[in-house]
Every structure is written in C-alpha cells, then in structure tokens.
Amino acid sequence: MTGSITLLEVVRRSTTFLAERGSESPRLDAELLSAHVLGVRRLDVYLQFDRLLRDGELEPIRALLRRRAAGEPVAYLLGEKEFCGRAFTVTPSVLIPRPETELLVERVLLWARATAPPGDARIIDAGTGSGCVAVTLAAELPQARLLASDVSGEATLVAEANAARHGVGDRCTFSRGSWLEPFDAAPPVDALVSNPPYVTTSEFDSMMRDVRDFEPRVALDGGDDGLDAYRAIVAAARARLRGGGLIALEIDPRRRAAVESLVVESWPGSRVTVSTDLSGRERVVEVCLPQ
C-alpha cells in the first residue's frame, strides 16, 4: 500500500493480508482497524470507500495490521470492547469481555429486580478484570453497591477507569486480592457474581494464539481440572452472603456437573438453576441460598 489509494482497496488488501496470516475474521478486523485509525465509525468505512488515503494515514493502519497478523487481539489494538451495549477500556492486563458473559449479568439483574432488597443491594464481583460485570450491574441497578476484587493491581486500575467512564465510580469499590479475601471484614452481601478461570492448564496450552499468547493467563487457567477458582470461591462464600442470597457463576459447559456438586455440597438446601447461552450451551450456574 503506497501513495494514494482508496479506502476500499485498503480494506481489500488488508483483508487478504490478515486471512493469509490466520485471522478468523479478516474483513471485520480490517474494517475495525481502518476505522479506528481514521477516527470514524465502522459504518463510515462503507460510506467512504472512495476516500483517498495517503502515507500519513496508511502507516498507522499498517502498524496495526502487523500487530494483528502476529496474533494480537483486535480489542487490545483498539483499546476497548463492547459489553452489554457499553464500551469498556481493555488492556493486556485484563481478559477481553466475551458475549457469553452477558448472560451472567442478565441473570443477576433478573434476580436483583425481583428479590434484592429495594434500593440497597450489595453485590460482590470476584475476579472483576476490566470491571465489565460490576460496572454494568451498577449502571443497571442505580442504587446498588458493587464490591469487586482482582488479584492484579493493573486490572483494578482498568476497572476503576471503566467505572468512572460510565459514571458509577461512587458505587463501585475495587480491591486488589484473591477472590473474596479483600472482603474478610465486610458485612455480608446480597449476591456474589463471578466469571472465574475455567480452562484447564492443558487446555490453555492448546488454545488459539490470540488468547494463549496475549490474554492474561491468570484470568483463564483454572488449574488441572479447571475448578481451582470455584473451590476457592465456594469455600469462602458462606461467610460473605446473607441468607436467601444469590451466587451466580459463569461455567464451562463441560464442567457444569462438577460446579453444581461443589455448591450443593456447601448448601444442601439451596436451589440451583443452570441457564444456557444463545448457542444453547450451559453457561451460568445460579444458587439461591436458603434463608
């Protein structure tokens, strides 16, 4: 790509370049990266196909294409990812939000609007990462207070920035620490939500390079059987939740039975519900605790 070239031709050549280097969505990637550099919406790329680009605009696109060709996720290149209709800042310090995690938020919102104490629900988000779950819950539940943890100090800074970005920083508290440890001295809460790492160590080593080489391993690797985080969360949750409270956990469908067994063993009188995502895969385990 040299000299004057139309945006359409840039997208075409970029698509071919990325396809040859293993991108699973080369056209989308090309459009998003071009739009980002040019400071326009993706839709505007189509509306400006005849626009002539020169070296001053082409070189930043080339730079991003080279990084994408090496496997770096588009979300990190753009610096943000949409989740539940809101844009969230993301960096390599945090897991990129996934569409399936939106179901986790939806289930907690249904519970909160139906049963949570009116106006003052307190919810823990364990392993908050970018803060997308905690911030979305705070934005959708105007009186709720969110307590969120992450073992990574860099992640908590990203989460704090996202809370400020969406105007809920005054109702979200982010603490560095493993799972529920930061809340040892906190009063019991109404709900606990988490999207813990659930990939086994051996599975992680065989994941796509975009994930394996760029996203934080601590947010994905759940140990030999993928259940290390669930054990830690369930063991600590008893002292953190009020009677009648909710635990909502995102799961790998292959480990549904194991996660369900963990919670039933801890709360024999609880009611357990499993919800499926848009692909029909079991994705969220909800535990309504006895009073």
Side-chain angles (χ1 to χ4, degrees), residues 229-241:
Y230 294 93
R231 293 189 186 94
I233 291 169
V234 169
R238 184 181 298 276
R240 305 290 180 272
L241 284 159

Side-chain angles (χ1 to χ4, degrees), residues 195-216:
N195 175 21
Y198 48 66
V199 175
T200 69
T201 299
S202 61
E203 289 168 349
F204 179 87
D205 292 333
S206 61
M207 294 183 80
M208 294 171 51
R209 63 171 182 168
D210 299 29
V211 177
R212 183 191 65 240
D213 296 345
F214 291 93
E215 297 197 65

Side-chain angles (χ1 to χ4, degrees), residues 12-282:
R12 285 175 175 168
R13 295 189 191 184
S14 301
T15 299
T16 300
F17 175 78
L18 294 176
E20 291 173 347
R21 286 156 180 80
S23 170
E24 293 190 339
S25 54
R27 176 74 180 212
L28 175 61
D29 294 354
E31 292 172 355
L32 289 172
L33 295 178
S34 297
H36 177 69
V37 169
L38 298 176
V40 300
R41 300 170 302 166
R42 182 184 168 208
L43 173 62
D44 293 326
V45 171
Y46 288 88
L47 299 176
Q48 299 179 26
F49 267 160
D50 293 334
R51 173 177 173 175
L52 288 175
L53 274 63
R54 299 188 181 276
D55 285 341
E57 294 172 314
L58 290 171
E59 187 49 46
I61 295 176
R62 293 191 190 102
L64 291 182
L65 287 171
R66 287 191 290 268
R67 291 168 64 184
R68 180 68 191 114
E72 191 169 349
V74 170
Y76 291 152
L77 298 177
L78 301 180
E80 65 179 29
K81 179 71 174 179
E82 183 175 303
F83 181 81
C84 288
R86 295 178 175 85
F88 284 84
T89 299
V90 294
T91 74
S93 298
V94 301
L95 188 72
I96 297 169
R98 267 61 169 181
E100 55 266 31
T101 304
E102 295 186 0
L103 175 65
L104 182 67
V105 172
E106 291 168 8
R107 297 304 303 175
V108 176
L109 289 176
L110 284 173
W111 169 84
R113 288 165 177 159
T115 64
D120 64 349
R122 288 168 49 84
I123 302 171
I124 288 176
D125 175 23
T128 195
S130 67
C132 63
V133 170
V135 170
T136 302
L137 289 173
E140 295 294 328
L141 300 170
Q143 302 304 316
R145 297 200 62 85
L146 273 295
L147 306 175
S149 68
D150 202 285
V151 71
S152 165
E154 292 85 355
T156 59
L157 292 176
V158 174
E160 286 174 348
N162 278 319
R165 178 177 185 175
H166 293 291
V168 296
D170 60 330
R171 292 187 290 109
C172 294
T173 301
F174 298 96
S175 303
R176 182 177 181 181
S178 179
W179 305 121
L180 304 186
E181 288 177 359
F183 314 118
D184 284 347
V189 298
D190 303 294
L192 163 65
V193 58
S194 184
N195 175 21
Y198 48 66
V199 175
T200 69
T201 299
S202 61
E203 289 168 349
F204 179 87
D205 292 333
S206 61
M207 294 183 80
M208 294 171 51
R209 63 171 182 168
D210 299 29
V211 177
R212 183 191 65 240
D213 296 345
F214 291 93
E215 297 197 65
R217 182 166 191 151
V218 68
L220 290 159
D221 188 342
D224 289 342
D225 61 359
L227 297 174
D228 285 358
Y230 294 93
R231 293 189 186 94
I233 291 169
V234 169
R238 184 181 298 276
R240 305 290 180 272
L241 284 159
R242 295 174 180 166
L246 174 78
I247 300 175
L249 304 170
E250 183 170 327
I251 61 167
D252 182 318
R254 297 169 297 177
R255 288 178 255 290
R256 172 257 174 99
V259 173
E260 193 170 352
S261 293
L262 280 174
V263 297
V264 169
E265 288 172 7
S266 293
W267 294 280
S270 61
R271 185 176 80 253
V272 179
T273 303
V274 180
S275 299
T276 57
D277 60 23
L278 293 176
S279 299
R281 306 182 75 200
E282 295 173 322

